[in-house]
Amino acid sequence: MKKFIFLLPSFIFSGFSAQETTIPETPAKKDVIKMRAPETPDKMNIIKTNVTAYVLRNINLSYERAFSKRFSLNMGFGTMPEGKVPFINAFLSDKDEKRFQNLEVKSFNFTIEPRFYLGAGYGKGFYVAPYYRYSKVTSNTFDFYYDYTFSGTTYQIPLKGNGSAHGNSGGVMVGVQFFLTPSKNLILDFWIAGAHYGKGQGDFTMTSDVILTPDMQAQLKKEIEDLDIPYVNYTVETNANGAKVNVDGPWLGFRSGLSLGYRF
């Protein structure tokens, strides 16, 4: 009996100890829940095209890859087949436009665009995108006419011209991208506004079947310089065979539009 009374406290203490080790939540389980990695979407790639650019004959395609919730990289190219100069009246008067009887151009551009998403992320929401763009413009062989006045009589002197110019520029664009379907595979990318600025270079030559006198060369030089094409710096050199126009100066452009794409 004395032994039983002596051992009873030991059994009671052991019971309490067992309860204390089994009732509380295991700390290891809490750590596992806290350390669980965030879920990453399966669809990290988008192929798209700017549908509004087709109005200007610009065939384009871009590819965007998301690397994290906030960062993606978009790369695109565009090409415009040879044709009339879009909005030529915006930088040439009607009188000057008539000097270029059959001027047509084609162009190409390539753009690298890191995107930083401020909204939902992984390709959705508002974004800010600094970018680099390479552009090239090439003309066909076009006819150019200028009026040469001598002793009160005006002669129309024809020349044949052609050439190309290219530019490297950098800029910033802001936009917003939406998922259009519950499956999040169709997207709409709205380029709200973007602008780029850089340096351009190029050469255009004009040749004539008529041997140009010094006086004819001087008038031709003035005619070309008076075209005053906006946003383009150029110099003119003339010789007995015609003229050479050197483009060397600012290269400016703007971006806006709507792109449709597929996410996968």
Side-chain angles (χ1 to χ4, degrees):
M1 183 65 178
K2 290 182 179 178
K3 291 182 178 180
F4 177 76
I5 295 172
F6 177 78
L7 293 174
L8 183 60
S10 299
F11 283 112
I12 294 173
F13 180 78
S14 299
F16 283 142
S17 299
Q19 289 178 351
E20 288 175 0
T21 57
T22 58
I23 292 176
E25 184 178 359
T26 305
K29 292 182 179 180
K30 292 183 178 179
D31 294 339
V32 170
I33 295 173
K34 290 180 180 179
M35 296 175 63
R36 184 176 296 170
E39 185 177 353
T40 301
D42 295 331
K43 301 175 181 179
M44 305 286 279
N45 307 283
I46 302 174
I47 293 178
K48 50 195 167 180
T49 185
N50 182 358
V51 293
T52 53
Y54 288 92
V55 177
L56 303 177
R57 306 195 316 275
N58 191 323
I59 303 168
N60 64 93
L61 188 68
S62 65
Y63 167 72
E64 181 178 356
R65 167 71 180 183
F67 291 95
S68 68
K69 181 176 181 180
R70 300 298 177 195
F71 176 75
S72 73
L73 183 64
N74 191 79
M75 296 180 293
F77 78 94
T79 181
M80 184 178 72
E82 191 170 288
K84 296 293 184 182
V85 181
F87 307 116
I88 190 171
N89 290 328
F91 52 89
L92 284 180
S93 65
D94 291 340
K95 177 184 176 181
D96 289 335
E97 183 183 351
K98 292 178 181 178
R99 299 178 186 274
F100 297 91
Q101 293 293 311
N102 57 347
L103 175 62
E104 294 187 349
V105 296
K106 60 182 179 181
S107 67
F108 171 82
N109 65 73
F110 174 75
T111 307
I112 300 177
E113 176 186 299
R115 290 187 170 190
F116 299 92
Y117 281 89
L118 309 177
Y122 290 116
K124 181 181 180 181
F126 284 94
Y127 60 82
V128 177
Y131 63 90
Y132 160 79
R133 169 167 282 198
Y134 171 80
S135 307
K136 184 175 182 179
V137 179
T138 305
S139 78
N140 65 335
T141 299
F142 59 90
D143 296 312
F144 178 81
Y145 298 88
Y146 88 100
D147 296 328
Y148 171 64
T149 302
F150 179 74
S151 298
T153 303
T154 300
Y155 304 90
Q156 194 174 71
I157 308 297
L159 296 97
K160 292 283 187 181
N162 63 76
S164 64
H166 65 273
N168 295 280
S169 54
V172 178
M173 184 174 72
V174 293
V176 60
Q177 192 156 264
F178 306 93
F179 298 157
L180 298 179
T181 58
S183 60
K184 301 180 180 180
N185 60 337
L186 294 180
I187 67 98
L188 175 66
D189 187 3
F190 176 29
W191 301 356
I192 298 174
H196 50 274
Y197 181 85
K199 182 178 176 59
Q201 293 179 317
D203 296 302
F204 292 85
T205 58
M206 297 183 180
T207 58
S208 175
D209 294 334
V210 178
I211 302 299
L212 305 181
T213 65
D215 186 54
M216 296 170 73
Q217 295 176 40
Q219 286 198 33
L220 174 60
K221 186 176 188 304
K222 186 176 184 306
E223 289 275 352
I224 299 175
E225 290 176 341
D226 287 347
L227 292 174
D228 192 26
I229 303 174
Y231 312 120
V232 178
N233 288 348
Y234 60 92
T235 58
V236 183
E237 301 173 3
T238 56
N239 53 50
N241 298 315
K244 183 177 181 180
V245 180
N246 300 300
V247 177
D248 189 3
W251 192 274
L252 179 67
F254 302 94
R255 297 176 69 192
S256 184
L258 286 171
S259 291
L260 291 175
Y262 180 75
R263 183 170 177 258
F264 60 97

